[in-house]
Amino acid sequence: MEERRQLRQAKGRLMARGVCSAISEVAMFLGFSLYGLAALRTQLFGNPQQDIGYLALPILVTICAVAFTLNRTIANKDNVASLWAKTWIMLLVVWELWLWPETRSGPWREEPWMTDDEKVVLSVFLSLEAITLLAWIWIYKVYPFLVKYCHQKFALRCFWRIRPADTGEGYSYLPYGWTSLSRREFRYRGDKDENGRPHGFGEWQDNSYHGEVLNGTWQHGQPVVPFVSRCFGSGAISRGLKTGYGTKRLEGLSELHWTRERTETFLFGTCGVECSASGAFLAHLPQLFEYHQKTFPHAEQMVHDLQSTAGSETRDARDANSTARMSFLATPADSVLVFVHGYNCPIDWACMRLGQLMTLGNFGSSVLPLVFSWPTGRIPSFFQVRKQLVDFAPDLAEFLACLRRAGVKEMHLMAHSMGCELVTAALEHLERLNQEGGSQPLVKTISFCNASCPLSDFEQPMLSRIMGICERLTLYVDRDDFALWALELLARTKVLGCHTEPFPLVSPCPGGDVEDPEDPATSLAALRPRIDVVDCSSMDANVNGMRHGYFDLNTNLVADLKELIVDQKRAAQRSRLLRIYSDPNYNVFSFLAPPVFVTY
């Protein structure tokens, strides 16, 4: 648990601005202040002087900057080192420009490179930067190393100084060893094994800022999925869940090879993932639990393992002296969401992204998350992978057939990027599998997110074949998708993921007619009500710069997928969508604008 606390402290919250933006801020600060400070100083005070009045302005700026940074540090203890490092750099710029001699014209001057005052200022702020760096090394590098390898009773007593809490329940300790300023407490309530370690159902509490309150299942001292964790200081909530996968890839769970080799038989497995659910997003999430991985030779065993883990959380509330117990009741879920990832994606990353989608959307235990993983290769092999999709296509149909034999009654298919091309490449095999299943369609819904399929392929014949194996097709498209824009430029063809017009496209059928009203498969009237186009171009929250892979992070998109898959609502009935065209036959929708607070 101390390793988990240190990971939250080291990584902090997920910042919208990273190292590049911090450098940009400093560069902008230099550009705007370089002339402004020097001009202001010359107008008010003239040349540098040795009196306190001349230094009043930089002293005031220093006090305000340090006070602001200290306030942010106390209020939010995440990313503290980078915050202070940026503050020292900006204050160094202020002081150096303030002390810049008016007679200095450039580096080629004959006078000394730096005055004595400038040397003092530079020494002070470089010392502060060095202290910040040493503190960062101790807190984020040395201390986690000690936590990982020092589990002896001597370390517990002498370094963390663990002792019974004054309240009589739990223990108190020093969160940072000898450098801690105050003590914090932790306790556990629940089942234990013969060695006194948490085992079964229980709750862990640690009241340090980066500590957590974790309710869930335990196995010999380790938390195992499913569980719910709340960061004590920030209130950020994360959830642990289990996802399944099926693959013929030769790579390991986290490996990504240049070659696209496959095995002859399927490998099924499950793995535990932890994902952000509420509050601030934690930078180290989603993460994979290495000790939660299981592999199975048959799909039935994988589905059974997921069903035994899935369940609803209940609390057995007793009197104040009893132990609060969380139990997860297994439910026989027979509906699955199969995610087909894009290229350049290892198995574990696909599982984590699907887990993030299930967590943020609160899909519950009625839908089991599954990943169909195929050998994608790396970024430079994009066009070679595209040519090999026909070879990988039978694997998708075989995976769905294994799920049907495992007792899965309802399947939902969601694909992203090149995964959408794999689905269309597998249509012949999916149609054959659909005929074997009787009158019911093979899958309930198909959702394409940022599809890289050529737009020319999505005419009536292709759409008719897709709608023959599913009840509803939903296309999430984005005109500003940079990755798809680059693909259009390189391939010199329009792609589906950037197309925001109604479907199906009107194209002539054999014989010259636009459609055959006697044939339901080619009828526009029959296809259009079952095809929804959702335009995501206007969204900007939790959308990365590429605008290509935000289906698991944007709350509007996640909630819409939940209404589609769990509540089984068509787009016109979903709460966050607004129809763009007045014609009800054109099912093109856009997300409602977020609330804006206006002050009059």
Side-chain angles (χ1 to χ4, degrees):
M1 299 303 291
E2 182 65 11
E3 291 182 26
R4 288 174 55 85
R5 189 182 74 86
Q6 285 302 311
L7 190 58
R8 287 190 295 272
Q9 176 177 312
K11 300 297 184 179
R13 303 183 187 187
L14 184 64
M15 304 295 291
R17 298 173 297 174
V19 176
C20 294
S21 63
I23 296 175
S24 302
E25 289 178 5
V26 174
M28 291 175 61
F29 179 78
L30 285 172
F32 285 111
S33 62
L34 182 62
Y35 176 78
L37 278 175
L40 179 64
R41 184 212 61 195
T42 303
Q43 292 291 331
L44 297 180
F45 302 99
N47 290 329
Q49 304 169 13
Q50 300 294 332
D51 58 69
I52 193 66
Y54 176 79
L55 302 177
L57 186 58
I59 290 176
L60 179 61
V61 172
T62 302
I63 293 175
C64 293
V66 172
F68 175 76
T69 305
L70 185 61
N71 178 69
R72 288 189 60 183
T73 302
I74 296 174
N76 178 14
K77 296 181 177 61
D78 296 315
N79 310 104
V80 173
S82 61
L83 180 63
W84 280 103
K86 190 190 306 182
T87 301
W88 300 139
I89 292 176
M90 291 187 173
L91 289 177
L92 173 62
V93 174
V94 170
W95 278 92
E96 289 293 346
L97 289 176
W98 195 259
L99 297 176
W100 186 279
E102 187 180 9
T103 59
R104 183 177 295 171
S105 58
W108 53 86
R109 63 195 180 280
E110 297 180 357
E111 60 189 66
W113 181 67
M114 296 186 71
T115 64
D116 293 338
D117 293 339
E118 289 176 316
K119 291 179 181 178
V120 171
V121 169
L122 182 62
S123 300
V124 169
F125 283 105
L126 287 182
S127 300
L128 291 174
E129 287 284 2
I131 294 173
T132 304
L133 178 61
L134 291 175
W136 178 83
I137 292 175
W138 165 255
I139 295 175
Y140 300 123
K141 299 298 181 181
V142 178
Y143 183 64
F145 177 82
L146 296 175
V147 170
K148 187 174 182 179
Y149 294 102
C150 296
H151 299 284
Q152 302 299 323
K153 293 183 178 179
F154 175 80
L156 298 178
R157 294 175 181 174
C158 298
F159 184 76
W160 287 285
R161 297 189 178 182
I162 297 179
R163 68 187 186 195
D166 297 335
T167 58
E169 185 177 6
Y171 299 87
S172 68
Y173 74 112
L174 298 176
Y176 306 107
W178 302 316
T179 59
S180 301
L181 300 178
S182 60
R183 302 185 70 87
R184 291 293 182 261
E185 296 182 359
F186 67 89
R187 68 182 183 185
Y188 171 77
R189 294 175 176 176
D191 301 331
K192 301 178 182 178
D193 61 11
E194 61 276 5
N195 296 321
R197 296 175 297 183
H199 187 75
F201 302 104
E203 178 186 78
W204 170 277
Q205 294 184 7
D206 182 351
N207 65 2
S208 64
Y209 183 87
H210 295 287
E212 64 181 322
V213 179
L214 191 148
N215 291 275
T217 54
W218 300 76
Q219 186 174 358
H220 302 298
Q222 296 284 354
V224 295
V225 295
F227 64 81
V228 178
S229 172
R230 176 177 60 84
C231 188
F232 190 86
S234 65
I237 297 177
S238 62
R239 297 186 62 183
L241 73 158
K242 186 175 289 187
T243 61
Y245 64 89
T247 184
K248 285 188 175 181
R249 302 172 70 162
L250 280 177
E251 300 109 320
L253 208 61
S254 304
E255 295 177 346
L256 195 60
H257 296 170
W258 290 94
T259 58
R260 296 166 294 279
E261 299 177 345
R262 297 149 55 219
T263 61
E264 295 295 330
T265 58
F266 257 99
L267 175 67
F268 301 96
T270 58
C271 57
V273 296
E274 182 181 5
C275 308
S276 293
S278 178
F281 273 66
L282 300 177
H284 68 284
L285 298 182
Q287 69 174 349
L288 191 75
F289 287 96
E290 296 181 357
Y291 48 86
H292 286 184
Q293 301 174 17
K294 297 180 181 178
T295 57
F296 309 97
H298 303 291
E300 291 83 356
Q301 297 167 313
M302 175 190 65
V303 173
H304 176 73
D305 185 59
L306 290 173
Q307 289 176 338
S308 64
T309 304
S312 59
E313 302 174 3
T314 59
R315 273 198 174 279
D316 186 17
R318 302 177 182 175
D319 55 65
N321 296 326
S322 67
T323 301
R325 185 181 303 266
M326 172 176 289
S327 61
F328 298 87
L329 304 179
T331 57
D334 54 7
S335 177
V336 299
L337 171 60
V338 178
F339 174 53
V340 184
H341 58 75
Y343 86 112
N344 191 42
C345 181
I347 302 174
D348 62 343
W349 187 241
C351 291
M352 287 188 286
R353 298 202 68 179
L354 179 58
Q356 183 64 68
L357 171 69
M358 302 293 291
T359 300
L360 201 59
N362 195 21
F363 279 64
S365 59
S366 59
V367 179
L368 301 178
L370 291 171
V371 170
F372 169 74
S373 188
W374 52 283
T376 63
R378 292 181 176 269
I379 292 179
S381 59
F382 177 87
F383 291 101
Q384 287 79 6
V385 172
R386 224 178 184 187
K387 295 177 181 178
Q388 287 186 281
L389 290 178
V390 178
D391 301 329
F392 305 147
D395 297 344
L396 176 60
E398 183 180 351
F399 180 68
L400 298 183
C402 292
L403 295 181
R404 176 182 285 180
R405 290 193 296 268
V408 174
K409 298 180 179 179
E410 183 177 286
M411 288 184 282
H412 301 267
L413 196 61
M414 185 181 76
H416 174 248
S417 191
M418 192 183 284
C420 305
E421 295 188 58
L422 180 61
V423 174
T424 57
L427 270 180
E428 179 182 351
H429 308 279
L430 296 176
E431 288 172 331
R432 190 179 305 114
L433 183 61
N434 184 57
Q435 294 174 357
E436 297 173 359
S439 59
Q440 291 296 326
L442 176 64
V443 292
K444 193 78 173 178
T445 63
I446 295 180
S447 304
F448 282 176
C449 301
N450 304 85
S452 62
C453 308
L455 183 60
S456 57
D457 293 346
F458 268 72
E459 297 180 351
Q460 280 185 249
M462 171 71 75
L463 287 173
S464 299
R465 296 178 64 190
I466 294 178
M467 302 312 298
I469 63 171
C470 72
E471 294 184 3
R472 180 161 297 278
L473 172 65
T474 305
L475 306 174
Y476 293 94
V477 297
D478 192 331
R479 292 189 303 271
D480 300 327
D481 189 322
F482 180 80
L484 296 184
W485 174 84
L487 176 60
E488 287 184 337
L489 188 64
L490 293 174
R492 297 182 180 181
T493 182
K494 297 293 184 181
V495 298
L496 178 64
C498 294
H499 182 80
T500 58
E501 299 301 320
F503 276 92
L505 302 173
V506 178
S507 61
C509 294
D513 296 330
V514 172
E515 60 179 88
D516 182 5
E518 301 298 330
D519 185 2
T522 61
S523 172
L524 290 174
L527 291 179
R528 276 180 175 158
R530 299 166 55 200
I531 302 175
D532 297 322
V533 178
V534 181
D535 186 1
C536 305
S537 304
S538 61
M539 296 194 305
D540 57 2
N542 279 7
V543 176
N544 56 26
M546 293 285 288
R547 299 188 65 88
H548 187 62
Y550 51 85
F551 63 89
D552 59 329
L553 294 176
N554 183 273
T555 53
N556 282 324
L557 189 51
V558 168
D560 191 67
L561 283 168
K562 192 252 184 181
E563 288 188 80
L564 168 66
I565 295 171
V566 178
D567 303 331
Q568 299 187 6
K569 296 181 179 178
R570 54 192 180 92
Q573 299 173 328
R574 302 205 285 270
S575 59
R576 297 171 182 254
L577 297 181
L578 182 67
R579 187 186 294 273
I580 295 179
Y581 293 93
S582 58
D583 189 342
N585 293 321
Y586 291 163
N587 290 339
V588 182
F589 300 83
S590 179
F591 285 100
L592 295 172
V596 178
F597 300 95
V598 181
T599 303
Y600 295 96

